[in-house]
Amino acid sequence: RVKLPLTACPASARDWAWHLLPIALPPTVAPEAKLCAPTLRVHHGRVRVDLPFQTPIGFAPATGHMIGSGFDWGLNSLLTGTIGHLTAEGRVVTDGRPLAYDASGVSAKLHRLRAEREHLAAKRKHQQRLLAGITPADARFAALAAAHEVISVEHERLCARIRRLNKALAWSAARWAVDQADAAGATVIYLEDLATLEARGRRGRANARLSGQVRGQIVAAIRHLAAKHAIAVVTVPARGTSKYCPRCGTGTSILQHCPAPDRLTERGWAWAHCPACGLSCDRDWAAAERILARGLLGQQATRTDRTTGARSIATVVEGNVA
């Protein structure tokens, strides 16, 4: 029920009347949702209703987790994860099934759009220098100013397109990660702490680029979606997750990184091989297993930020994964 005016310029209470507007709720609104005050707006001759609602969510404890999922910010894929459980003896056991969110197609498109954005930015900056060197009375000023305006509008449109694509990619990856954890019955998701990621060499450039674009959005989206399923989200230190073997390397057995499983003697970055126990697997998967072990074994050291509510583990507790 809404009270709307009967005239264009209502002057008294007689110019207002109550109207009943039937609204069909979409299936995305749960039956137990609490409806809030709506907002009416006119869009292309039709009345649109912005109807916010609140849904009750369960409490996700910080400790006491027996089944968890660990995800690594990968080099081969955007997110690589694994599912494991903590046994009564204090061991972390996984089923050996890797989970990968491949965003190579979208990443290639983003790379192309960013290159185009850099080209437009350079052209716009050059036009600005030319405009600064002439006066409005110059015959070339009008044409150059018009061209600069076109380039500026195109640059802003391209930036908006990149932002929309980054947002869509972040929420898609977050939805995938939460669905994987929920399907496996996990009660906690462990992620690498973005503040502790190293930036060195080739991986450093990739880490810096992805961190500034989508990783922060993915973490925020995962926290939002995981809360609906009462799944806790905890970050763990990233240092050393790709260095040591998750099977036998509690700080001693160092992995050898190579291009592929059939090229173990060459130097690379995509594949991991342990000379001690013979483990040969994707580098990101090995890191995801170590992230999971650090989370499940060190969950007693989980701390909650009073301001943001974000949970993190600052103390590294190493342990092998069976």
Side-chain angles (χ1 to χ4, degrees):
R1 294 178 69 247
V2 293
K3 197 172 186 179
L4 301 176
L6 301 177
T7 61
C9 299
S12 64
R14 293 177 298 179
D15 297 332
W16 294 79
W18 286 98
H19 297 266
L20 183 64
L21 303 180
I23 301 174
L25 296 179
T28 54
V29 181
E32 64 274 9
K34 177 184 177 182
L35 304 181
C36 302
T39 299
L40 302 182
R41 55 187 174 88
V42 179
H43 182 74
H44 295 310
R46 301 185 62 183
V47 178
R48 300 294 181 91
V49 180
D50 296 331
L51 184 62
F53 62 92
Q54 298 177 351
T55 54
I57 60 175
F59 174 73
T63 59
H65 303 288
M66 302 305 296
I67 302 178
S69 57
F71 292 96
D72 173 63
W73 305 109
L75 295 174
N76 308 325
S77 58
L78 180 60
L79 275 177
T80 302
T82 186
I83 305 294
H85 67 275
L86 185 64
T87 64
E89 295 79 17
R91 299 183 61 197
V92 179
V93 180
T94 70
D95 58 0
R97 180 171 57 94
L99 309 171
Y101 181 84
D102 187 7
S104 56
V106 180
S107 298
K109 186 175 182 178
L110 282 171
H111 181 71
R112 178 180 61 82
L113 292 177
R114 293 191 191 105
E116 187 176 352
R117 180 185 61 183
E118 296 293 334
H119 175 70
L120 291 177
K123 184 180 292 187
R124 184 181 62 173
K125 189 175 182 179
H126 177 65
Q127 292 175 343
Q128 289 174 350
R129 288 197 299 265
L130 294 178
L131 287 173
I134 60 178
T135 61
D138 195 310
R140 300 168 296 175
F141 187 87
L144 190 57
H148 178 265
E149 181 66 22
V150 172
I151 292 296
S152 299
V153 172
E154 184 63 25
H155 181 268
E156 182 57 33
R157 289 177 179 174
L158 193 59
C159 292
R161 186 178 179 185
I162 293 175
R163 288 193 297 267
R164 290 194 298 268
L165 193 57
N166 282 335
K167 182 179 179 180
L169 176 61
W171 282 94
S172 175
R175 180 77 272 174
W176 171 85
V178 174
D179 285 346
Q180 294 291 340
D182 184 56
T187 58
V188 61
I189 294 176
Y190 293 109
L191 301 170
E192 283 182 304
D193 190 353
L194 296 179
T196 62
L197 284 177
E198 297 181 0
R200 297 177 182 174
R202 180 173 180 175
R203 181 175 185 179
R205 292 193 297 270
N207 281 340
R209 182 173 65 252
L210 288 176
S211 295
Q213 295 297 329
V214 295
R215 285 180 173 175
Q217 298 182 40
I218 293 176
V219 173
I222 288 178
R223 288 196 175 105
H224 177 83
L225 297 175
K228 296 182 179 181
H229 299 273
I231 298 177
V233 179
V234 184
T235 59
V236 299
R239 184 177 180 84
T241 54
S242 300
K243 183 177 181 180
Y244 300 108
C245 176
R247 297 288 186 270
C248 66
T250 52
T252 56
S253 183
I254 299 178
L255 291 172
Q256 295 180 354
H257 298 134
C258 53
D262 56 346
R263 300 161 61 185
L264 300 180
T265 58
E266 303 178 24
R267 291 180 60 86
W269 53 272
W271 200 258
H273 170 69
C274 180
C277 65
L279 175 67
S280 181
C281 66
D282 183 270
R283 170 182 178 150
D284 300 335
W285 181 32
E289 288 194 344
R290 184 154 291 282
I291 291 171
L292 175 65
R294 287 184 177 183
L296 289 178
L297 296 177
Q299 57 182 302
Q300 298 301 327
T302 304
R303 298 293 181 267
T304 303
D305 188 275
R306 295 183 178 180
T307 304
T308 62
R311 291 168 174 169
S312 61
I313 298 176
T315 305
V316 176
V317 180
E318 299 287 12
N320 295 332
V321 181

